[in-house]
Amino acid sequence: KMREEKGGKIFIKDEDVVSKKIQNLIDGGVDSFQVISDFDRTLSRASYNGEKCTTCHGILESSIVFNEETQKDLAALKKRFYAIEIDPTMTIEEKCPYMVEWWETAHKIMIKSKVKRTSIQQAVTESNVILKDNCKEMFQILNQNSVPLLIFSAGIADVLMEVLYQKSSFLPNIKVVSNFMKFDENGVLVGFEGELIHVYNKNEGALTDSAYWYFEDIKHRHNICLLGDSMGDLHMADGVPDVNTCLKIGYLNEKVEHLLPRYIDAWDIVLVDDPTMDVANVLFAAIT
Ligand code: TMP
C-alpha cells in the first residue's frame, strides 16, 4: 500500500525489519503511539514547480523584514553553510562547528536588524512556504486519535507556528520544540530562548524543561514514528525513555545520488523527492 501511494521512489533496506516494526506499531495500537517530526523539508515541501521552497529561516529573508543588504548577508551565509550541511564527504562531528557558526551569525543579524513580531505574519503570507500534500490530513488523523505529535525543528518556532496557523491549524496534540524568539515590550526581537538548536544537535540535549514534561506525560507511549530529512533528525527520539519500536522515515530531497546509500542504511524507509505525507498517512491509518 505504501509503494502504491509513493510510486517508484521508495527505498527499504530490510523489508523484514520494516514489516516487523509496522506490525509492532499496529499491535501496540494508538495508545502506545507517538510521532516525532522535523519541519523544514519534512512537513514542508522542498520544492514546487521546479522552484525551491523556503525554510522557516528563509521566510524572514524577505523585504518586509530585512533591508536588501541584510537579505544578501543571510543569503550568502546560507549559500556557504547549506553546502556544508548536506556535504556527503563530511561527518556530523566535522559539520557541527559550522552549523553553530551559521545559526549564531544568522540570529545575530536578525537581532541587529530589530525584527518585529508583527512582520512575521506578513512574511509567512508572502513567502513560498508550502506544507506537503495531505499534511493537514495527517495532523487531523493524529489529533482525532489523540496521538501526540512533536515537531522538533532547528528552524524558528514563531515562524513555524505561524505557518501552521496560516496553512493548516495548530491542533491540541502538537508540541513544538524549536528556537523561540524573545521580544521586548515593543515587540522587537532581542534574542532567542534557551539553547540554540541546529540541524545536528536535535537530540535529548536540546530539550527544554517543557519538553521534559511533555515526554513525562506521554511516557507510556513506547512506539514512535520518526520523520525527518536530515541525518541529524535520526536522533530526535534520543530523549524518549524505554522505546519499544521506532520506525524512521527519511525524506531525501538533495544530492540524491550521493546520499541515497547512506540514507538507505540509516533510515527504515527512504522517500526520494516526495511532496506528500501519503506514506506516513497510510501507516497512521493502519495504526489508528
Ligand atoms: P529543520 O530542523 O526544521 O530542518 O530546519 C533547519 C533548516 O533551516 C536547515 O536546513 C538550514 C535552514 N536554515 C536556513 O535556511 N537559513 C538560516 O539562516 C539558518 C540558520 C538555517
Side-chain angles (χ1 to χ4, degrees):
K1 179 74 180 150
M2 282 180 170
R3 283 190 199 285
E4 275 167 35
E5 291 296 335
K6 175 67 178 108
K9 293 176 176 178
I10 176 164
F11 297 89
I12 298 173
K13 183 172 78 171
D14 191 329
E15 299 221 357
D16 286 345
V17 168
V18 170
S19 294
K20 271 186 203 129
K21 283 192 178 190
I22 291 175
Q23 197 57 53
N24 284 349
L25 297 182
I26 293 170
D27 292 345
V30 79
D31 295 337
S32 307
F33 188 52
Q34 59 168 300
V35 180
I36 301 179
S37 180
D38 167 57
F39 184 76
D40 289 315
R41 307 185 189 98
T42 296
L43 297 178
S44 69
R45 284 182 72 135
S47 60
Y48 185 70
N49 280 346
E51 197 180 301
K52 275 200 169 33
C53 292
T54 190
T55 59
C56 286
H57 278 93
I59 287 169
L60 293 185
E61 289 166 32
S62 69
S63 54
I64 311 142
V65 184
F66 296 122
N67 63 30
E68 210 176 309
E69 202 186 314
T70 308
Q71 286 180 54
K72 269 196 200 141
D73 289 346
L74 289 167
L77 280 178
K78 186 185 281 178
K79 190 160 185 266
R80 176 174 170 219
F81 288 110
Y82 187 56
I84 296 174
E85 181 188 329
I86 59 168
D87 186 336
T89 66
M90 290 173 75
T91 64
I92 287 185
E93 288 70 33
E94 285 168 338
K95 291 177 183 191
C96 271
Y98 292 103
M99 296 301 106
V100 173
E101 187 184 339
W102 183 10
W103 261 252
E104 282 184 350
T105 315
H107 289 184
K108 266 187 207 145
I109 292 174
M110 288 178 201
I111 294 163
K112 204 168 142 213
S113 303
K114 300 189 187 308
V115 174
K116 290 212 175 65
R117 196 203 300 262
T118 47
S119 57
I120 293 175
Q121 199 177 352
Q122 199 184 343
V124 170
T125 309
E126 294 187 4
S127 77
N128 74 348
V129 70
I130 306 172
L131 291 178
K132 283 189 178 163
D133 294 356
N134 298 323
C135 184
K136 198 172 172 179
E137 287 68 17
M138 180 189 118
F139 292 151
Q140 279 162 354
I141 298 178
L142 296 177
N143 186 54
Q144 276 158 11
N145 290 280
S146 303
V147 173
L149 166 63
L150 173 68
I151 302 180
F152 197 168
S153 170
I156 298 172
D158 308 67
V159 179
L160 184 166
M161 288 161 78
E162 184 59 36
V163 176
L164 295 187
Y165 287 129
Q166 289 190 23
K167 315 273 173 184
S168 176
S169 48
F170 197 83
L171 298 168
N173 65 322
I174 298 177
K175 162 89 181 165
V176 173
V177 171
S178 185
N179 297 299
F180 279 84
M181 290 173 142
K182 244 191 313 194
F183 296 96
D184 68 12
E185 63 283 4
N186 300 314
V188 175
L189 180 70
V190 288
F192 286 81
E193 308 273 0
E195 293 293 313
L196 181 133
I197 302 176
H198 60 75
V199 264
Y200 293 120
N201 74 348
K202 289 163 78 174
N203 50 42
E204 73 270 36
L207 295 178
T208 54
D209 279 355
S210 77
Y212 170 82
W213 288 113
Y214 170 83
F215 282 124
E216 188 61 23
D217 279 351
I218 60 167
K219 64 180 178 202
H220 58 288
R221 293 178 183 268
H222 302 294
N223 290 339
I224 303 170
C225 179
L226 188 118
L227 308 172
D229 75 311
S230 153
M231 294 298 274
D233 295 335
L234 287 160
H235 299 283
M236 294 188 299
D238 286 5
V240 181
D242 304 323
V243 174
N244 179 352
T245 298
C246 181
L247 182 78
K248 296 173 181 167
I249 302 180
Y251 295 83
L252 179 55
N253 314 298
E254 296 267 4
K255 292 212 185 296
V256 174
E257 222 175 279
H258 285 101
L259 290 170
L260 187 58
R262 210 168 298 177
Y263 268 60
I264 292 175
D265 214 37
W267 298 84
D268 294 307
I269 299 173
V270 179
L271 304 171
V272 174
D273 292 331
D274 191 352
T276 78
M277 298 312 296
D278 292 348
V279 169
N281 282 346
V282 169
L283 175 73
F284 300 156
I287 296 169
T288 55

